[in-house]
Amino acid sequence: MIQVNGYAAKQAKTPLTPYSFERREPRAHDIVIDIKYSGICHSDIHQVNNEWGTSTFPMVPGHEIVGFVSQIGSEVTRFKVGDRAAVGNFVDSCRKCNSCRNGLEQYCLEGATWTYNGFERENGKTTPTQGGYCDKIVVDENYLFNIPENLPLHGAAPLLCAGITVYSPLIHWKAGPGKKVGIIGLGGLGNMGVKLGHALGAEITVLSHSLKKQEEAKRMGADNFYDTSDTTTFKKLKGYFDLLINTVSVDIDLNRHFKLLAPDGVMVIVGLPEKPLSLGAFSLVSFRRSLAGSAIGGIRETQEMLDFCSKHNITSDTELIPIQKVNEAYERVLKSDVRYRFVIDMESLK
Ligand code: NAP
Ligand code: ZN
């Protein structure tokens, strides 16, 4: 077995503390990655706090993982020792269902194997998976990504979740020239939404719950910025957007935001608040608007997004922290005080 050192939540709603555990020896198609950086996604915080009711402990969070290949299994063909490699939200799936066959492994009908807070597909699903807040991970080569050489590794880590989670709906709902796209919430996902949407050629408006991030949003490529705590915003932008991507991690007034959609406009929910959403039928029926949801992206689309980022030189704004500051970082994410993704430097584990 491979010895691993990291940080874990031992039970719900408790601070993360040092934790050592074992991972499997590489099988024929496995790769061992020495982790350099791991991003902190708000989903990590929801799960450590068991807000979705699905958490198991001890939990090593982290699904924005980048590093270098340190060992390969006997039949590996896609990577060699020393290569950059990255892991996102899932490390396996059934590989047989329609979703898997169509490159939509995140929607695997048997359920994808989540990078952490999941179970390995072998052993009668009793071995829990553990994520990236640690020094090593072992993953099948078919569930790994290449990080293009021109992207700095720490800035690329958040692409593995925040990046793909907004790229996929931007592509699916055809964001591009002539499309008015609103990004609700300028956090980890939001900063990627602005940069990717802008690079795709859409007109990008940020809807933030204060004016504090206005200058930074413009620097990222936003065309417009509005404060949703100002009621005049909802009058000025009534019926304006073709596409709204809601990245907010808490419950917001959806009915009010829905009125910002043009006829046939679509609101895509990517934020996953603890509480159920509430939407009146009139909001949907009026102007034939739609409500949709989207989860991360499949293997092929994630690599496509990384290559798109390479071409347009896009990475996340990051604040690098040692792992000893992870609990402080969680507090700051909860206060919307993150510019715009905390990334853990794994050197700090040594
Ligand atoms: P984040 O960095 O905390 O960003 C969330 C943003 O929401 C904040 O920066 C803030 O932006 C806004 N917000 C926070 N509290 C608010 C409030 N009380 N009222 C109005 N706006 C508020 O989180 P993230 O990592 O981007 O993740 C966002 C959500 O997406 C989380 O729920 C996460 O679990 C979910 N997620 C889903 C997927 C998926 O596949 N669908 C993937 C990753 C994450 P402003 O300050 O600009 O208002
Ligand atoms: Zn995430």
Side-chain angles (χ1 to χ4, degrees):
M1 299 295 271
I2 295 179
Q3 279 301 317
V4 182
N5 296 315
Y7 267 52
K10 310 289 168 37
Q11 45 186 306
K13 299 186 169 68
T14 55
L16 275 65
T17 49
Y19 179 62
S20 296
F21 59 105
E22 290 180 336
R23 296 201 189 267
R24 64 175 185 256
E25 285 293 333
R27 301 182 194 128
H29 283 282
D30 277 346
I31 284 183
V32 184
I33 298 174
D34 285 356
I35 301 174
K36 290 291 162 210
Y37 301 105
S38 256
I40 296 179
C41 176
H42 205 120
S43 300
D44 300 343
I45 304 175
H46 290 308
Q47 288 176 95
V48 163
N49 292 334
N50 197 16
E51 288 174 30
W52 302 335
T54 55
S55 297
T56 56
F57 298 93
M59 179 193 293
V60 179
H63 55 217
E64 294 183 335
I65 304 165
V66 295
F68 293 97
V69 175
S70 60
Q71 206 181 327
I72 57 172
S74 56
E75 290 172 37
V76 166
T77 56
R78 295 185 54 233
F79 290 85
K80 57 182 191 323
V81 171
D83 282 354
R84 292 169 153 214
V87 188
N89 276 267
F90 55 93
V91 288
D92 205 351
S93 64
C94 83
R95 310 178 191 210
K96 301 186 295 274
C97 72
N98 272 346
S99 298
C100 286
R101 281 208 305 265
N102 290 322
L104 295 166
E105 298 87 351
Q106 78 276 32
Y107 304 129
C108 172
L109 297 175
E110 280 187 13
T113 303
W114 304 114
T115 302
Y116 69 89
N117 200 23
F119 290 93
E120 300 283 356
R121 299 192 96 72
E122 288 73 12
N123 303 334
K125 298 199 175 190
T126 54
T127 314
T129 55
Q130 298 292 8
Y133 296 6
C134 63
D135 55 9
K136 281 179 198 298
I137 191 165
V138 182
V139 182
D140 185 298
E141 62 173 332
N142 296 299
Y143 290 78
L144 292 178
F145 307 99
N146 296 296
I147 301 285
E149 286 297 327
N150 66 320
L151 299 178
L153 270 189
H154 66 281
L159 302 178
L160 277 304
C161 177
I164 184 60
T165 299
V166 288
Y167 180 82
S168 187
L170 285 167
I171 297 294
H172 186 80
W173 280 278
K174 302 187 167 47
K179 283 276 171 94
K180 295 190 172 84
V181 176
I183 304 288
I184 311 174
L186 191 66
L189 269 55
N191 98 98
M192 294 314 309
V194 172
K195 293 170 185 174
L196 291 164
H198 175 71
L200 287 165
E203 182 200 284
I204 301 292
T205 301
V206 171
L207 299 163
S208 188
H209 76 303
S210 75
L211 281 174
K212 289 183 207 156
K213 302 172 181 171
Q214 183 163 12
E215 288 316 308
E216 288 162 3
K218 295 269 167 80
R219 190 241 315 142
M220 291 173 195
D223 299 284
N224 312 301
F225 188 99
Y226 287 91
D227 176 3
T228 52
S229 69
D230 175 353
T231 49
T232 64
T233 290
F234 291 89
K235 291 192 185 113
K236 285 183 202 147
L237 294 176
K238 196 173 161 207
Y240 188 76
F241 294 101
D242 301 306
L243 177 63
L244 280 171
I245 299 190
N246 179 6
T247 77
V248 177
S249 47
V250 296
D251 196 22
I252 55 168
D253 184 345
L254 280 193
N255 292 296
R256 206 154 74 125
H257 286 79
F258 236 69
K259 294 194 177 104
L260 305 182
L261 287 172
D264 284 324
V266 182
M267 181 191 282
V268 184
I269 305 287
V270 291
L272 289 163
E274 182 176 12
K275 291 197 193 125
L277 304 175
S278 166
L279 185 70
F282 275 92
S283 296
L284 273 175
V285 167
S286 314
F287 302 100
R288 205 165 59 187
R289 294 162 174 146
S290 309
L291 179 66
S294 186
I296 44 173
I299 301 282
R300 193 164 59 221
E301 192 174 43
T302 302
Q303 189 63 56
E304 177 191 303
M305 176 273 312
L306 288 164
D307 296 340
F308 180 87
C309 287
S310 166
K311 186 169 162 209
H312 295 272
N313 252 312
I314 294 174
T315 50
S316 177
D317 278 39
T318 58
E319 184 174 336
L320 218 52
I321 57 158
I323 201 159
Q324 294 77 9
K325 292 227 161 139
V326 65
N327 298 302
E328 209 176 291
Y330 275 24
E331 291 302 318
R332 285 184 52 200
V333 172
L334 290 171
K335 290 188 207 137
S336 302
D337 177 25
V338 49
R339 301 283 197 281
Y340 281 86
R341 199 57 139 187
F342 286 110
V343 173
I344 304 168
D345 183 349
M346 288 309 157
E347 282 293 314
S348 59
L349 267 175
K350 288 180 184 158

